Amino acid sequence: MNVSHSRSAEPASGGARRRSEDTRSAILAVARERFATDGYDRATIRAIAKDARIDPSMVMRYYGNKEGLFAAAVSVDLSMPDLAALPRADAGQALVTHFLGMWEENEVLTALLRVGVTNSAGAERMQSVFRDQLVPVARAVCPDPEQAAARAGLCAAQLLGLALTRYVLRFPPAVGLAREEIVAWLAPTLQRYLTAPSP
Amino acid sequence: MNVSHSRSAEPASGGARRRSEDTRSAILAVARERFATDGYDRATIRAIAKDARIDPSMVMRYYGNKEGLFAAAVSVDLSMPDLAALPRADAGQALVTHFLGMWEENEVLTALLRVGVTNSAGAERMQSVFRDQLVPVARAVCPDPEQAAARAGLCAAQLLGLALTRYVLRFPPAVGLAREEIVAWLAPTLQRYLTAPSP
DNA sequence: TCCGGTTGCCAACACTCGTTGGCCAACGTC
DNA sequence: GACGTTGGCCAACGAGTGTTGGCAACCGGA
């Protein structure tokens, strides 16, 4: 509650930056790791604080409570490419490639998936990412915009399923596939979900 | 440890069945529900015992510890159909249809998925179900048996992704799809993953 | 030099968890 | 009727949780 955000626009470079900014971001970094590997419940405030080499009470002072920490740690920007600017037939391939890059870039998406499965706040956040960032892209490519949500849902199912088996459950066959193989297999699927006439 | 299994072949019908058998199975039933809706950590022994209207210590006496309860509650038999007995071109459709039935039949698969994401024992169990029940079926259909595991992995990604978005995360578009629509969309995908020449 | 805010740690609270051991009542068998 | 077995509850332990308040050290501006 009494977290003070009352600083006016820090100079980004040179100036004597407050130490707290470093610890704040250090907390976020280790929190992301913990949420990604342990899920919400097992990612305890104490464990996160220990990783960040500070006292658990600091986490509370900076982020209010555990929910606040999670909200701050896991904010997803898929930075989706504009599929409408591509040749229509390349949409599927562009989508898989982009997603694979996002998943391997950092652990935020893994954290979100692990938490979303057991924690309702996490699930809602996943849903908002889907609604605000994936569906609009589908709307730009789909033949009938009214079907955009359903088609985006099918794409999400395929992409999240791959992420689940590969990055979370670590099924050996899913882990063993090379990126190009995944793209080659999934691109036609997504292409069909996005642009094929509904069956 | 001192759980006594030392009874000799009960008469299955009519006879005065031990009360304990009823409570044992009642525990399993509510445990499945709890694991399915709450995941491993939040499905506490106390909550399960309360649902079953017994004392938490009874759960311990019957199943040793929480791990043992989970192992007993979540045992999955996919009872896969013999895809080799079907026309080759129907494999994909048969697979989706069968899976949708399994997921909606009871909550065991939901429980397994929710637990597998955050609990390592659950993840290993998922892996063994995949390896022992799905891969063999793929092996019977795939052109090259050496690729069976990889192709089964792709199918698992698609099927688990659908289950994730529809039964766990409850994305509205995934929930809104009718069963026939899902079959129509996914069957060609699985068919390709199973039988198409590798790209 | 002083002084107010910032940064941090420590100790504790209230709670829940899995787990244990003892006690009690009912029951079937001799 | 005595007795061991079985099914069940109660009370407690020890560990771990999120969370809180107080207190010491530091630092920058007056």
Side-chain angles (χ1 to χ4, degrees):
Chain A
M1 294 306 171
N2 45 10
V3 176
S4 103
H5 289 283
S6 58
R7 239 167 303 96
S8 54
E10 298 271 345
S13 71
R17 230 179 64 196
R18 292 232 185 278
R19 269 203 320 281
S20 67
E21 284 305 315
D22 291 347
T23 46
R24 283 183 74 102
S25 59
I27 292 174
L28 284 193
V30 302
R32 266 187 284 268
E33 283 184 40
R34 281 286 176 179
F35 282 130
T37 60
D38 294 345
Y40 191 82
D41 292 320
R42 306 181 107 100
T44 64
I45 299 262
R46 286 175 155 90
I48 291 169
K50 186 180 241 181
D51 288 356
R53 275 189 257 269
I54 52 162
D55 191 86
S57 62
M58 298 300 298
V59 180
M60 304 301 296
R61 191 179 295 177
Y62 284 147
Y63 295 101
N65 55 28
K66 194 176 178 181
E67 279 187 49
L69 172 63
F70 173 72
V74 177
S75 67
V76 173
D77 177 13
L78 292 182
S79 63
M80 295 294 298
D82 180 16
L83 294 187
L86 270 62
R88 208 181 168 66
D90 294 351
Q93 174 168 349
L95 203 55
V96 207
T97 310
H98 183 71
F99 258 87
L100 282 175
M102 289 306 267
W103 275 91
E104 294 181 357
E105 179 176 304
N106 55 47
E107 290 173 296
V108 174
L109 288 175
T110 307
L112 186 55
L113 178 52
R114 266 229 169 77
V115 171
V117 168
T118 35
N119 179 274
S120 66
E124 280 164 28
R125 182 165 288 237
M126 286 202 74
Q127 214 170 110
S128 71
V129 170
F130 167 75
R131 175 173 16 91
D132 300 338
Q133 303 190 49
L134 187 57
V135 173
V137 171
R139 207 184 308 273
V141 188
C142 290
D144 178 3
E146 267 190 36
Q147 294 182 338
R151 289 171 182 267
L154 289 165
C155 292
Q158 173 64 91
L159 291 169
L160 287 178
L162 180 85
L164 178 73
T165 52
R166 183 177 171 90
Y167 302 117
V168 173
L169 299 177
R170 298 191 201 283
F171 282 6
V175 174
L177 287 172
R179 284 181 57 149
E180 316 90 59
E181 292 181 282
I182 298 177
V183 173
W185 278 111
L186 294 204
T189 302
L190 298 177
Q191 183 72 32
R192 188 162 55 83
Y193 290 164
L194 284 176
T195 64
S198 55
Chain B
M1 294 308 169
N2 46 8
V3 176
S4 101
H5 289 283
S6 58
R7 241 167 300 100
S8 56
E10 297 273 345
S13 70
R17 228 181 65 200
R18 292 233 185 279
R19 272 205 315 282
S20 69
E21 285 304 317
D22 292 347
T23 46
R24 282 183 74 100
S25 59
I27 292 174
L28 284 193
V30 302
R32 266 188 283 269
E33 283 185 40
R34 280 285 175 180
F35 283 131
T37 59
D38 294 346
Y40 191 81
D41 291 320
R42 307 181 107 100
T44 64
I45 299 260
R46 286 174 154 90
I48 291 168
K50 186 181 243 180
D51 287 357
R53 277 188 256 268
I54 52 159
D55 191 87
S57 62
M58 297 301 298
V59 180
M60 306 299 298
R61 191 181 292 177
Y62 285 146
Y63 295 100
N65 54 28
K66 193 175 178 180
E67 279 187 49
L69 172 63
F70 173 72
V74 177
S75 67
V76 173
D77 176 13
L78 292 182
S79 63
M80 295 293 299
D82 179 17
L83 294 188
L86 271 62
R88 209 183 168 66
D90 294 351
Q93 174 168 349
L95 203 54
V96 207
T97 310
H98 183 73
F99 257 86
L100 282 175
M102 288 308 254
W103 275 92
E104 295 182 356
E105 179 176 304
N106 55 47
E107 290 174 297
V108 174
L109 288 175
T110 307
L112 185 56
L113 178 52
R114 266 231 169 76
V115 171
V117 167
T118 34
N119 179 272
S120 66
E124 279 163 29
R125 182 164 286 239
M126 285 201 75
Q127 216 171 107
S128 72
V129 170
F130 167 75
R131 175 174 17 90
D132 301 338
Q133 304 190 48
L134 187 57
V135 173
V137 172
R139 208 183 309 274
V141 189
C142 290
D144 178 2
E146 268 190 35
Q147 294 183 338
R151 289 170 183 268
L154 290 165
C155 292
Q158 174 64 91
L159 291 169
L160 288 178
L162 180 84
L164 178 73
T165 53
R166 183 178 170 90
Y167 302 117
V168 174
L169 298 177
R170 307 209 136 86
F171 282 7
V175 174
L177 286 173
R179 284 181 58 149
E180 316 90 61
E181 291 181 283
I182 298 177
V183 173
W185 278 110
L186 295 204
T189 302
L190 297 177
Q191 184 71 32
R192 186 160 56 83
Y193 291 164
L194 284 176
T195 64
S198 54

